[in-house]
Amino acid sequence: MSFETVSQSRCFNGTQFVYRHVSRETSTPMRLAVFVPPQAKGRKVPVLWFLSGLTCTEENFTVKAGAQRVASELGLMLIAPDTSPRGEGVPDDSEGAYDFGLGAGFYVDAVQEPWAKNYRMRSYIERELPDLIAQNLPADMSRQGITGHSMGGHGALTIALRNPERFKAVSAFAPIASPINCPWGEKALSNYIGPDRSAWRDYDACALIEGGARLPDLLVDQGTADSFLESQLKPELLEEACARAGQPLTLRRQEGYDHSYFFIATFIEDHLRWHARRLGIA
């Protein structure tokens, strides 16, 4: 299956695309944004995935983070998928809450009805979309990194911990460090996965690390003025889990920064260069 081009724009001598395709995993049309750097004209280039947070689409990171300039310099392909299935017939929260349903796929494979048919973002990101990228774009799939923000930071950490052979570099911005232990995660996991909390552990970075999952290293940035810091994000739980397990972690608490894309835009260059070094291009 090939991608349908929704839009394309020249950007820092590369091209910013938005693609659409029909997903077998979600049974819906899906959109993704892909920045292809100029180096891809002559060779395949390394890939950095960015997973976005609650309420977001493929557009937020693409238009707000300012990542394309440095990605063009480094020769990094940036891939930003949507955060959940969308379209006619896709179930949503009955009360229209922002933290569940559309825009809140939590990068899980739902098993509870009515979510199980469409909410399969884990398999979409882990299996289906990488195959399509490899088939349709000049991507060097032997050199992949992953990062994300908030719910997407949770997604980046858990997907990498479950697939350590795939990712050479992993980072996150203000991730939901332990969904088992916060209201956002408890709401999502109880509805998508069910009441058995032991089944939630596959979607919790701290639990995966406690269970033996390992990565070469992790970079996490967290703003100290983030309004969700104490109630939802709880980076200290990730810090404690990594310390107990001997998992290398660089956790940078950035004074005065909040949860917004101003925070991401400030530190995205650091993350891109950190990934580039581990992907062998810097």
Side-chain angles (χ1 to χ4, degrees):
M1 180 181 293
S2 61
F3 294 131
E4 173 191 353
T5 300
V6 176
S7 66
Q8 66 182 83
S9 300
R10 186 166 174 80
C11 183
F12 293 104
N13 294 317
T15 306
Q16 179 65 61
F17 291 95
V18 175
Y19 293 120
R20 178 169 49 217
H21 73 102
V22 176
S23 168
R24 69 170 185 269
E25 290 291 349
T26 68
S27 301
T28 66
M30 294 294 292
R31 289 165 62 113
L32 65 150
V34 179
F35 174 71
V36 179
Q39 293 86 343
K41 293 178 181 177
R43 56 179 171 82
K44 292 184 177 182
V45 294
V47 171
L48 179 61
W49 298 76
F50 186 94
L51 304 185
S52 293
L54 289 165
T55 76
C56 292
T57 70
E58 77 290 340
E59 183 178 33
N60 297 73
F61 172 75
T62 304
V63 302
K64 292 182 177 181
Q68 292 93 338
R69 176 184 61 82
V70 178
S72 176
E73 173 198 329
L74 295 170
L76 268 176
M77 181 181 293
L78 303 176
I79 299 176
D82 200 350
T83 53
S84 73
R86 303 178 196 271
E88 185 176 352
V90 176
D92 193 9
D93 183 83
S94 60
E95 298 178 356
Y98 77 93
D99 57 355
F100 186 72
L102 297 184
F106 262 83
Y107 305 98
V108 306
D109 279 354
V111 297
Q112 297 285 100
E113 297 299 336
W115 320 102
K117 177 182 177 181
N118 304 119
Y119 284 77
R120 295 185 51 79
M121 292 301 295
R122 171 181 177 172
S123 289
Y124 177 69
I125 299 295
E126 288 187 357
R127 296 200 302 265
E128 182 180 10
L129 193 51
D131 288 346
L132 290 172
I133 295 294
Q135 293 165 18
N136 290 282
L137 296 173
D140 181 354
M141 302 302 279
S142 69
R143 291 190 290 171
Q144 296 183 66
I146 191 167
T147 186
H149 173 230
S150 193
M151 178 186 74
H154 138 75
L157 294 178
T158 55
I159 288 170
L161 285 163
R162 290 192 303 263
N163 300 274
E165 73 290 341
R166 176 177 159 194
F167 297 102
K168 295 184 180 298
V170 185
S171 70
F173 296 85
I176 303 173
S178 183
I180 289 174
N181 293 297
C182 75
W184 279 343
E186 291 178 350
K187 180 177 182 178
L189 295 174
S190 63
N191 281 281
Y192 290 140
I193 308 302
D196 181 3
R197 294 179 70 94
S198 66
W200 300 3
R201 294 179 63 83
D202 211 27
Y203 297 107
D204 185 291
C206 295
L208 288 167
I209 291 167
E210 289 168 1
R214 295 289 184 272
L215 295 166
D217 54 7
L218 296 172
L219 171 64
V220 173
D221 274 313
Q222 173 63 63
T224 63
D226 192 318
S227 60
F228 302 113
L229 178 59
E230 295 184 4
S231 61
Q232 305 283 8
L233 305 178
K234 303 185 178 182
E236 70 278 1
L237 297 182
L238 180 64
E239 193 171 40
E240 292 164 5
C242 288
R244 287 193 299 269
Q247 165 64 56
L249 168 68
T250 300
L251 173 59
R252 306 190 303 187
R253 291 176 169 86
Q254 304 291 2
E255 189 66 32
Y257 285 89
D258 61 17
H259 200 67
S260 72
Y261 266 82
F262 295 114
F263 161 60
I264 296 172
T266 301
F267 298 104
I268 189 64
E269 181 169 353
D270 285 357
H271 282 243
L272 292 176
R273 295 192 184 281
W274 189 86
H275 281 268
R277 289 192 295 272
R278 286 154 181 80
L279 295 174
I281 55 173

